[in-house]
Amino acid sequence: MRFYGKEKQDRFAYYLIGKKGTFLDIGCNHPMQGNNTKALEEAGWSGLLFDIREKWVDLCRQHRTSKVFCVDISTDEFANILKENLEQPIIDYISLDADGGSLGGLQQLLQNNFSFKCMTFEHDYYANGNVLKLPAKALLESHGYYPLFEDVKLADGRIWEDWWVNLSYFPKGLENIACKAVTFDECVLKVMEHNIC
């Protein structure tokens, strides 16, 4: 199987969930290059793509089979699209990388009773400090989510994102592999060694 995720986020979702699932790619950017859900789509997953830039939306419409939407994810329009296009409110994997819009999108998801099994949340701590990280962490923890890998970093040490799970959807013991300030490669290796799906 070919993976496209720049920092192995697609491997994280695939090894946690398996060969079939649903995804939301929020801030999808390029349809293939460094994309976190292209491999999942090719494996048979179904999902929805979102970006606020027409350039990426148009390119995704040309190169992806999933529906793609140009929308501000902090608005009710985003929640309405989800309600109209998702068969159930539980999403297997969410890739959330909408820069300044990420927190508003997360609020829309949770306030409208959507839930997820796993999510990669890019907060760019290395550039933004706690501007996105801390409010998102407080919000997610208040809804029962668990930071499986916190402060996931690049090989050069820059802290990039947090990887979240809802432990109720996984076999007991997943929390035993939780760790902080490890690289993307180390996170994926821990998931693979745990043999979850």
Side-chain angles (χ1 to χ4, degrees), residues 21-191:
T22 56
F23 66 79
L24 298 181
D25 193 339
I26 304 172
C28 57
N29 206 276
H30 194 281
M32 294 163 290
Q33 295 173 7
N35 188 275
N36 292 348
T37 60
K38 171 67 171 168
L40 303 176
E41 185 180 86
E42 289 182 348
W45 287 44
S46 60
L48 303 173
L49 308 169
F50 297 89
D51 208 288
I52 200 163
R53 290 158 292 200
E54 285 285 355
K55 169 187 175 181
W56 299 128
V57 169
D58 291 342
L59 206 55
C60 286
R61 286 189 177 129
Q62 295 170 36
H63 298 282
R64 297 289 295 269
T65 58
S66 299
K67 288 183 181 179
V68 58
F69 301 89
C70 187
V71 63
D72 178 347
I73 61 164
S74 66
T75 65
D76 291 339
E77 183 184 359
F78 172 60
N80 290 334
I81 289 170
L82 296 179
K83 291 171 186 174
E84 292 167 9
N85 288 276
L86 292 175
E87 292 181 13
Q88 56 181 355
I90 302 166
I91 300 115
D92 290 303
Y93 168 60
I94 298 175
S95 171
L96 183 46
D97 176 14
D99 301 324
S102 291
L103 192 59
L106 185 59
Q107 290 169 332
Q108 283 290 335
L109 283 162
L110 298 175
Q111 288 170 2
N112 286 281
N113 299 313
F114 291 98
S115 63
F116 62 86
K117 295 180 184 177
C118 67
M119 176 177 71
T120 55
F121 182 88
E122 185 171 324
H123 49 60
D124 296 325
Y125 177 86
Y126 72 92
N128 302 322
N130 284 313
V131 171
L132 286 176
K133 178 181 168 55
L134 286 186
K137 182 176 182 181
L139 184 59
L140 286 162
E141 288 183 336
S142 74
H143 281 78
Y145 291 97
Y146 183 78
L148 189 63
F149 302 120
E150 190 173 352
D151 292 340
V152 183
K153 62 184 182 178
L154 298 173
D156 64 11
R158 287 182 294 159
I159 296 172
W160 202 264
E161 57 191 27
D162 295 333
W163 291 3
W164 291 85
V165 294
N166 183 330
L167 290 172
S168 66
Y169 291 110
F170 298 100
K172 191 173 180 181
L174 179 62
E175 66 276 12
N176 294 334
I177 67 168
C179 52
K180 190 172 181 176
V182 293
T183 66
F184 291 94
D185 287 342
E186 291 170 308
C187 294
V188 170
L189 187 60
K190 283 179 176 290
V191 172

